[in-house]
Amino acid sequence: MVDQSAQDLATLQGVWEQIGFEEDGVADAPDAYEGAMGALTTITGNHFSVRAKDGRLLLEGTFSRDATLAPRAIDWMDATGPDAGKRLAAIYRLEEGRFTFIAAHAGLPRPSAFHTLTGQTMRTFIRRL
């Protein structure tokens, strides 16, 4: 039997380019992080860092996952930015070179479907390295 959690963690490692953004049910909404579209997210272990195309650090922090839930759960903990120190409950999916997650704003319940409602943000990435 395949350990889905270990397999997902291995798949997440590397560099991902943001190609999609949706917030509060609005596709292609303005992103609060200037330069996030096309930004590169590097995942090493359970640490992530997000850099704009010009190399500026936009965000970094850690995450934990539970691949046994349906949909799979991930919790983001930003170390920088306006959500620093707050747990952001999210769900995620991994599909052939694509990573998508939907996170609830701090203090809100974990999303349950792959479309956003008020207080939720969805980001989509493609693998770069």
Side-chain angles (χ1 to χ4, degrees), residues 8-117:
D8 281 4
L9 183 59
T11 300
L12 283 169
Q13 303 303 297
V15 180
W16 299 86
E17 179 183 352
Q18 183 174 316
I19 60 164
F21 181 76
E22 178 178 316
E23 187 168 46
D24 299 328
V26 178
D28 299 322
D31 196 330
Y33 287 97
E34 180 185 339
M37 193 59 71
L40 297 178
T41 296
T42 301
I43 297 178
T44 307
N46 72 335
H47 177 266
F48 69 92
S49 62
V50 181
R51 293 194 176 273
K53 289 184 212 178
D54 64 8
R56 272 180 307 122
L57 181 67
L58 298 175
L59 190 64
E60 69 179 326
T62 59
F63 63 92
S64 60
R65 297 156 307 94
D66 187 340
T68 65
L69 297 177
R72 296 174 186 152
I74 190 165
D75 291 338
W76 301 103
M77 181 72 74
D78 296 351
T80 61
D83 290 319
K86 299 174 185 172
R87 184 182 69 84
L88 305 175
I91 58 174
Y92 73 98
R93 65 180 169 205
L94 288 164
E95 306 165 311
E96 305 226 6
R98 185 177 287 252
F99 169 47
T100 303
F101 73 83
I102 298 179
H105 294 187
L108 295 179
R110 185 178 313 281
S112 59
F114 281 92
H115 57 82
T116 61
L117 303 173

